[in-house]
Amino acid sequence: DWSSDVCSSDLRTRPRRRPGASGTVGSIPAFRRREATLARSRPWSARVAPLALAALVVGALWVAVGRGLPFARPSCSLSVDRSLKVGDVVRRIDVAAGEAWAIGSSYVAAVGRPVALHRTAEGWIAEPVPVDSDTTTVGLHDIVVLPSGEAWAVGSVKAREPFAVRWDGVGFVRIATADLGVDAEWLGVGGSPEGGVWAVGKRTDGLRYRTLVARADGDRFVVVPSPNQGDGNDVLSDVDVAGEVAWAVGWTYGADARFHPLTKIGRAHV
């Protein structure tokens, strides 16, 4: 009898009826009213016990996460390369296929040399970068690591001559760039297996900068035409390659003596 055994005083004052076609007591279904009443009539301890158990479970999970179990949030640690010294500047890092590289420059008495750090099982290892013996300052500005483990790094000599090297798995080899006849330097490099390797930067044109773009062809960079936004200084600072499309970004210094993004510089299909 769904309408019997009602213990709650607030329900006794309401009209009762045996469930007929509608099976209701008042406006609430009789079986729901009975369930609600029986739940309300359970001992206080029986109702609190599930809540206490849930609180214990949540507390245990919170402590586990704080102690760093496998499902806890990721953590970071500081790794310092002891081979670096005062005057060394690390600018970029890239990781692919389990290979990690960081590049930059080392300055001693105003003389700069390229720095290339390779992450191995023994830690960070400084790999030698070939430079001309009579060169005073060489710096690396960017690096890209391909899925094959091959790494390409670009920079400049005295901020006037493009400089590039490629890691072939054993050591770095120089990558040539055709003589442009003007001051130029690489600022960014990117690549993909389908799209190849691209380098971007700037070159001088009179008293202003113009964009500079090249694609790797074997052990050399071949300069390709690149658009400029206006009559100011236009510079490309970085490039990335997705599939067969290369995307480049940069800035321009306009006649209003303000910096602006190079909105007309976008992508190049391979």
Side-chain angles (χ1 to χ4, degrees), residues 19 78 90 111 162 224 239:
L78 179 63
V90 180
V111 175
V224 299
V239 61

Side-chain angles (χ1 to χ4, degrees), residues 186-222:
W186 298 127
L187 299 177
V189 64
S192 74
E194 303 86 2
V197 176
W198 292 77
V200 298
K202 61 184 176 67
R203 59 179 177 83
T204 58
D205 179 14
L207 299 178
R208 62 183 179 177
Y209 289 130
R210 302 278 84 184
T211 60
L212 181 61
V213 177
R215 185 186 181 191
D217 182 9
D219 284 341
R220 62 176 184 149
F221 273 119
V222 178

Side-chain angles (χ1 to χ4, degrees), residues 129-145:
V129 179
V131 297
D132 297 334
S133 58
D134 59 345
T135 300
T136 56
T137 299
V138 179
L140 294 177
H141 302 320
D142 199 9
I143 188 170
V144 62
V145 183

Side-chain angles (χ1 to χ4, degrees), residues 104-269:
S105 303
S106 176
Y107 295 94
V108 177
V111 175
R113 286 291 183 268
V115 171
L117 302 175
H118 187 197
R119 181 70 178 181
T120 66
E122 290 75 29
W124 289 100
I125 303 297
E127 300 288 356
V129 179
V131 297
D132 297 334
S133 58
D134 59 345
T135 300
T136 56
T137 299
V138 179
L140 294 177
H141 302 320
D142 199 9
I143 188 170
V144 62
V145 183
L146 301 181
S148 63
E150 188 178 70
W152 294 68
V154 299
S156 64
V157 178
K158 299 181 181 178
R160 296 178 179 177
E161 178 184 341
F163 180 84
V165 291
R166 176 177 61 85
W167 174 263
D168 60 6
V170 179
F172 280 106
V173 296
R174 290 282 296 272
I175 302 298
T177 301
D179 186 4
L180 302 176
V182 294
D183 291 349
E185 65 176 321
W186 298 127
L187 299 177
V189 64
S192 74
E194 303 86 2
V197 176
W198 292 77
V200 298
K202 61 184 176 67
R203 59 179 177 83
T204 58
D205 179 14
L207 299 178
R208 62 183 179 177
Y209 289 130
R210 302 278 84 184
T211 60
L212 181 61
V213 177
R215 185 186 181 191
D217 182 9
D219 284 341
R220 62 176 184 149
F221 273 119
V222 178
V223 177
V224 299
S226 57
N228 292 276
Q229 183 157 310
D231 295 330
N233 291 287
D234 291 354
V235 176
L236 290 177
S237 55
D238 201 5
V239 61
D240 201 0
V241 185
E244 297 183 353
V245 180
W247 294 82
V249 295
W251 51 267
T252 182
Y253 189 74
D256 58 355
R258 299 176 62 184
F259 289 97
H260 302 274
L262 275 176
T263 56
K264 292 184 180 179
I265 299 297
R267 60 182 182 176
H269 289 277

